[in-house]
Amino acid sequence: MSTLDRARCSLKAHPMALDAAIAAGVLACMVAGSFAVPHGAKGVTWGVRVPDPLGLVLMTLAAAALVLRRRFPKSVLAVTGTASLVESLTGDPRAPVAMAAVVALYTVAATTDRTTTWRVGLLTMTVLTTAAMLAGPMPWYAQENLGLLAWTGIGATAGDAVRSRRAVVQAIRERAERAERTREEEARRRVAEERLRIARDLHDVVAHHIALVNVQAGVAAHVMDRRPDQAKEALAHVREASRSALDELRATVGLLRQSGDPEAPTEPAPGLSRLDELAGTFRSAGLPVEVARTDHGTELPAAVDLAAYRCIQEALTNVRKHAGAEARAEVSVVRVGGSIEVTVVDDGAGTGAPGDGGGHGLLGMRERVSAVGGTLTTGPRHGGGFRVHAILPVTTRTTAPGETA
């Protein structure tokens, strides 16, 4: 940092010292100007008169008042204006005490609003100029009287311009800060949405396959001693479910890679085209599943297709976990107008509802369905069992940024 920059920072940190320096400079200019005779033989002459004592007192008083111009701008203007008024009425020729009033008027204009500037500025110009023209020792049309009017107007105008510039700079700074906060909030919102999406995908993948692994492992442990062939078959299902879980988990985690990563997965997301395969995995785990479809030939958007598949997967997983060992499940996919209706029902007699364990399965289904503009209803069936019903639009309407799903 240069010496000039250090001095500037020091003055900003001590505004009273800066005002004292300004007051000293104004006093020096006023004293120097008081030695000039405005109407000499050859125009303005210097060093031919000595200021009168009253003029020196008024100049000193007005300059001293400028030290407090930041704290009490209007009071300082009143003091300097009064001193200038007295000098205008008594001085012959006048000392330039009005210079302090001009600085004080500039301070008022720079620290207040435009309405106050107009009122105070017009009042100061009118009072000082009128007093000098009517009661001063010189004619009303004298150059000094017109100069007093011009200088007070310049002080008010310059102060208002500085205040306006400060307001513009402050507005720009606030807009920049607001834009930065908005960008940060948008980034945090996108991160939160991405984390929620990843968590939902991982739950859909892991919960389904781990439930199957748990069931088959229990079967294998139960029949290991009496029916080893059936135990081997159950362990084979465990191995197959584990492999499928690892494959889907690898594909899901691979979505986090950069688009230019050559190892990024290229396999499409699962959809209703794999519904029979999904039902087969549950049948192999001991859950009878019947599938009925009337949506053949319907082309679904990728988001809707994935949402329908995940809803069925999660619903069947809940049936296997909560409905009991003797439960049966029915899956139907029906095209109704511009919507696809997906229904999963069971006749289980389990005592625990899918949401009783503190999981996020039903919440994840609801979020997926809402994200594509659909509706989801879940609840117990009359006579026993549980029902999951999702209505998904054939033309998807994804949730807009900032909209709550």
Side-chain angles (χ1 to χ4, degrees):
M1 183 181 294
S2 64
T3 304
L4 181 59
D5 292 336
R6 285 196 296 268
R8 186 177 303 168
C9 293
S10 178
L11 289 176
K12 288 184 179 180
H14 302 86
M16 186 70 73
L18 177 59
D19 291 337
I22 292 175
V26 171
L27 178 60
C29 292
M30 288 190 298
V31 172
S34 65
F35 283 93
V37 177
H39 298 288
K42 297 181 180 180
V44 178
T45 59
W46 294 87
V48 297
R49 74 182 182 96
V50 177
D52 58 334
L54 180 59
L56 291 175
V57 171
L58 293 175
M59 286 186 290
T60 304
L61 177 62
L66 291 179
V67 178
L68 302 176
R69 67 187 185 94
R70 294 179 191 266
R71 294 186 179 181
F72 314 103
K74 294 181 181 178
S75 299
V76 171
L77 177 60
V79 172
T80 55
T82 301
S84 180
L85 181 62
V86 172
E87 177 63 21
S88 297
L89 298 177
T90 60
D92 185 19
R94 294 195 299 265
V97 183
M99 182 182 298
V102 171
V103 176
L105 181 57
Y106 163 85
T107 304
V108 171
T111 55
T112 59
D113 56 280
R114 180 160 295 174
T115 302
T116 303
T117 300
W118 275 96
R119 292 175 180 175
V120 174
L122 288 176
L123 178 62
T124 303
M125 287 188 293
T126 302
V127 171
L128 294 183
T129 305
T130 302
M133 287 182 175
L134 298 180
M138 290 180 292
W140 67 271
Y141 54 83
Q143 182 178 355
E144 287 77 5
N145 296 334
L146 299 178
L148 183 61
L149 176 65
W151 279 108
T152 50
I154 290 174
T157 304
D160 183 73
V162 170
R163 180 194 54 76
S164 300
R165 181 181 179 278
R166 289 174 181 171
V168 171
V169 172
Q170 181 64 24
I172 294 174
R173 184 180 295 111
E174 290 177 356
R175 284 198 298 269
E177 293 175 354
R178 191 181 306 113
E180 184 66 23
R181 288 194 302 267
T182 302
R183 284 194 297 268
E184 292 177 357
E185 292 172 358
E186 178 67 15
R188 286 194 295 267
R189 186 186 66 81
R190 290 183 178 275
V191 169
E193 290 180 352
E194 185 65 14
R195 290 176 60 185
L196 180 60
R197 185 190 65 80
I198 294 172
R200 189 165 54 235
D201 289 341
L202 290 178
H203 175 273
D204 292 341
V205 171
V206 174
H208 162 61
H209 292 289
I210 295 302
L212 297 181
V213 168
N214 181 57
V215 171
Q216 295 293 348
V219 171
H222 181 68
V223 301
M224 179 68 71
D225 297 331
R226 293 176 297 174
R227 286 174 286 181
D229 294 338
Q230 188 175 354
K232 290 181 180 179
E233 183 180 355
L235 291 177
H237 288 307
V238 169
R239 183 171 59 252
E240 181 180 355
S242 301
R243 184 183 301 110
S244 299
L246 290 175
D247 291 340
E248 290 198 33
L249 187 61
R250 186 180 300 110
T252 301
V253 174
L255 294 176
L256 301 178
R257 295 176 177 154
Q258 298 179 357
S259 59
D261 194 334
E263 297 183 3
T266 57
E267 181 182 356
L272 292 179
S273 60
R274 296 175 54 181
L275 180 56
D276 292 336
E277 178 185 347
L278 177 65
T281 61
F282 281 97
R283 294 190 188 102
S284 64
L287 175 64
V289 180
E290 296 183 6
V291 178
R293 301 184 62 176
T294 62
D295 65 319
H296 299 290
T298 302
E299 293 292 336
L300 296 178
V304 174
D305 202 16
L306 176 61
Y309 179 86
R310 293 303 188 192
C311 285
I312 297 173
Q313 183 185 54
E314 179 62 29
L316 292 178
T317 302
N318 288 337
V319 172
R320 194 67 188 88
K321 291 168 60 177
H322 301 287
E326 303 299 327
R328 301 174 62 86
E330 297 180 2
V331 179
S332 65
V333 181
V334 181
R335 170 72 181 269
V336 180
S339 302
I340 288 288
E341 295 190 12
V342 176
T343 307
V344 180
V345 297
D346 68 83
D347 59 355
T351 57
D356 292 344
H360 302 279
L362 294 182
L363 177 61
M365 281 193 288
R366 194 172 304 278
E367 290 173 348
R368 283 190 181 277
V369 172
S370 299
V372 296
T375 58
L376 178 74
T377 56
T378 61
R381 296 175 62 198
H382 180 70
F386 200 81
R387 178 176 181 268
V388 175
H389 181 66
I391 301 177
L392 304 172
V394 174
T395 302
T396 182
R397 185 191 68 82
T398 56
T399 304
E403 180 181 351
T404 302

